[in-house]
Amino acid sequence: MLEVGCGGGAFLHEALKTGCRASAIDHSNDMVRLATQVNSGSIAEGRLKIVAGEADTLPYPDGTFTCAVMTGVLGFLPDALGTFKEISRVLGCRGRFVAYTGSKSTRGTPAAPEPAASRLHFYEDDELEEMARRAGFATAKVEHPSLFEYAEKAGVPQQDLNLFKGTGGSQLLVAYKTRP
Ligand SMILES: C[S@@+](CC[C@H](N)C(=O)[O-])C[C@H]1O[C@@H](n2cnc3c(N)ncnc32)[C@H](O)[C@@H]1O
């Protein structure tokens, strides 16, 4: 698995519990340091490598990974299409890619507060699907999963749980290199 924009490494920590091997990249040295601390066990076992770098110039050969994930990163990217093309390039021919992001409806809410929200990129579902197809994915579909159940299970305080109600705020792009 490849994670692009791994931040503090929380997703990696969960994903590695499945026994997979992973690589991760983030352009913040601080985030690379934190993700390295959080996942030191998997790194010591030789199951994880984390490097500093840019999402649109991935330092991996063609066809390296079977799956790729990106959560909460799309909005920050100056060249999202370039990043999608890079992810497509480093995936094998049956590779799959999921990207999670907040929709336009989250702009100005606690999920994407101002003034940061004005600097973020938001996309319509069909823009994301089209971008994935232009990047070389054979199929691409945006889903709108509810995160309420997961937020509750993760112990998000009661007063903040309302943020996770409904499905309009979440966009989960699921794309395959070859039709499944
Ligand atoms: C909101 S955080 C999300 C972190 C993590 N994926 C999560 O869901 O907890 C966005 C992350 O993307 C990284 N990032 C933003 N633009 C990037 C780029 N062009 N290349 C690599 N990493 C980037 C940031 O450094 C930050 O760690």
Side-chain angles (χ1 to χ4, degrees):
M1 183 192 81
L2 168 68
E3 183 173 13
V4 177
C6 63
F11 179 85
L12 283 171
H13 191 70
E14 284 302 308
L16 284 155
K17 288 180 187 168
T18 66
C20 71
R21 285 179 294 123
S23 288
I25 186 165
D26 197 292
H27 70 175
S28 157
N29 286 324
D30 288 340
M31 288 298 137
V32 169
R33 204 173 305 123
L34 188 56
T36 299
Q37 280 169 14
V38 166
N39 294 285
S40 56
S42 297
I43 293 171
E45 288 165 16
R47 290 200 295 130
L48 173 65
K49 284 191 181 132
I50 308 176
V51 296
E54 286 297 330
D56 56 9
T57 46
L58 297 174
Y60 312 105
D62 297 359
T64 304
F65 301 99
T66 53
C67 61
V69 63
M70 193 163 75
T71 70
V73 181
L74 249 174
F76 296 96
L77 298 178
D79 181 12
L81 175 61
T83 296
F84 278 23
K85 283 182 178 168
E86 273 295 87
I87 291 172
S88 171
R89 178 185 68 74
V90 301
L91 282 171
C93 62
R94 296 177 63 80
R96 59 198 191 279
F97 169 44
V98 292
Y100 181 82
T101 192
S103 69
K104 280 180 183 162
S105 68
T106 64
R107 195 195 300 252
T109 72
E114 295 293 359
S118 302
R119 298 186 170 83
L120 293 174
H121 300 275
F122 293 93
Y123 299 92
E124 300 294 345
D125 292 356
D126 56 357
E127 285 178 295
L128 287 178
E129 290 166 357
E130 173 63 17
M131 197 153 61
R133 284 191 285 266
R134 283 179 63 200
F137 289 92
T139 68
K141 188 87 194 118
V142 172
E143 300 171 5
H144 301 275
S146 167
L147 300 186
F148 186 81
E149 177 194 329
Y150 302 100
E152 209 174 22
K153 218 181 235 153
V156 169
Q158 200 64 32
Q159 69 269 20
D160 298 327
L161 272 178
N162 273 347
L163 286 171
F164 297 89
K165 283 207 169 122
T167 57
S170 66
Q171 287 172 304
L172 184 74
L173 173 72
V174 181
Y176 291 84
K177 289 279 294 282
T178 313
R179 273 175 199 284

